[in-house]
Amino acid sequence: MNFKEVYDAHFAFVWRSLRRLRVPEPSLNDALQDVFLVVHRRMDDFEGRAKLSTWLFGICLRVAKDYRRRAHVRREVFDDSNFAQVSDPHSDTGAAAEQNQNLLLFEAALEELDLDQRAVFILFELENMTGDEIADSLQIPLGTVYSRLRLARQAFKKAALAQAWRKRPKVSSGGFS
């Protein structure tokens, strides 16, 4: 597979991965470019032992960590309050309001996870990778994958319930005294 084919086939996956790893909107295009620069440089190093998407996610994770770590050098402050409001450019613009609300709740709950747990959660639950593929991609032991997944699921459930509770319709007292 040549670089153009990789780029065309996996652009959306890389974009989603960087967004889910909380690369801020102003830096997203630069981060995309950084990922594909690494892919272009290291394409010959890809041995095919794992899926290409596994290899790409590992690159996305390192780039996302770099952007967060170097933020203080660029004197940027990450404001996550608008993070969940940016939509996927490939999504249907006519989506129902309830579906958008659920997506916002999902992304807000995902934001509560630390980066290591979020990476495992995204790969397992959203990208349908196996534990072995995740361990290979993130270069961590298989036991660590399942430990992070368990912790991520617990934290995600807790955050999702808290988000749903905050967003519930308020019921008025109806004149009871």
Side-chain angles (χ1 to χ4, degrees):
M1 190 174 247
N2 68 36
F3 175 76
K4 182 171 176 12
E5 291 170 334
V6 170
Y7 180 87
D8 290 343
H10 295 280
F11 176 86
F13 170 77
V14 170
W15 188 91
R16 278 191 322 269
S17 297
L18 290 170
R19 288 287 301 137
R20 290 173 177 160
L21 292 170
R22 295 174 71 186
V23 172
E25 183 65 25
S27 300
L28 192 56
N29 287 333
D30 291 337
L32 271 165
Q33 182 176 358
D34 289 349
V35 168
F36 283 110
L37 281 172
V38 171
V39 170
H40 189 267
R41 275 196 320 263
R42 297 189 48 212
M43 193 75 174
D44 293 334
D45 296 342
F46 178 67
E47 298 171 354
R49 288 183 293 133
K51 292 189 333 188
L52 185 59
S53 57
T54 304
W55 181 64
L56 289 170
F57 190 85
I59 296 169
C60 289
L61 183 60
R62 286 186 288 284
V63 168
K65 283 182 177 181
D66 255 6
Y67 271 84
R68 295 196 74 79
R69 186 176 55 245
R70 291 183 294 161
H72 74 281
V73 174
R74 294 186 309 264
R75 291 183 171 77
E76 292 178 12
V77 176
F78 288 138
D79 176 14
D80 291 337
S81 63
N82 293 327
F83 181 78
Q85 296 176 7
V86 179
S87 62
D88 184 332
H90 302 293
S91 68
D92 178 13
T93 57
E98 184 177 344
Q99 192 174 22
N100 287 338
Q101 183 65 25
N102 289 341
L103 180 61
L104 291 174
L105 290 173
F106 171 81
E107 288 182 347
L110 194 60
E111 286 180 38
E112 297 295 319
L113 305 179
D114 74 39
L115 191 58
D116 291 331
Q117 290 176 3
R118 184 180 308 120
V120 171
F121 186 85
I122 289 168
L123 290 174
F124 191 88
E125 298 292 350
L126 304 178
E127 299 299 337
N128 299 314
M129 289 187 182
T130 67
D132 288 328
E133 291 171 331
I134 296 168
D136 188 45
S137 174
L138 302 179
Q139 299 176 349
I140 58 176
L142 184 59
T144 303
V145 169
Y146 288 116
S147 175
R148 287 181 185 174
L149 181 60
R150 180 182 54 77
L151 293 170
R153 283 175 171 165
Q154 289 172 348
F156 183 83
K157 182 177 180 180
K158 181 179 176 183
L161 289 172
Q163 288 293 325
W165 180 257
R166 283 193 285 272
K167 301 290 184 187
R168 77 187 188 291
K170 306 294 188 249
V171 179
S172 66
S173 62
F176 294 104
S177 305

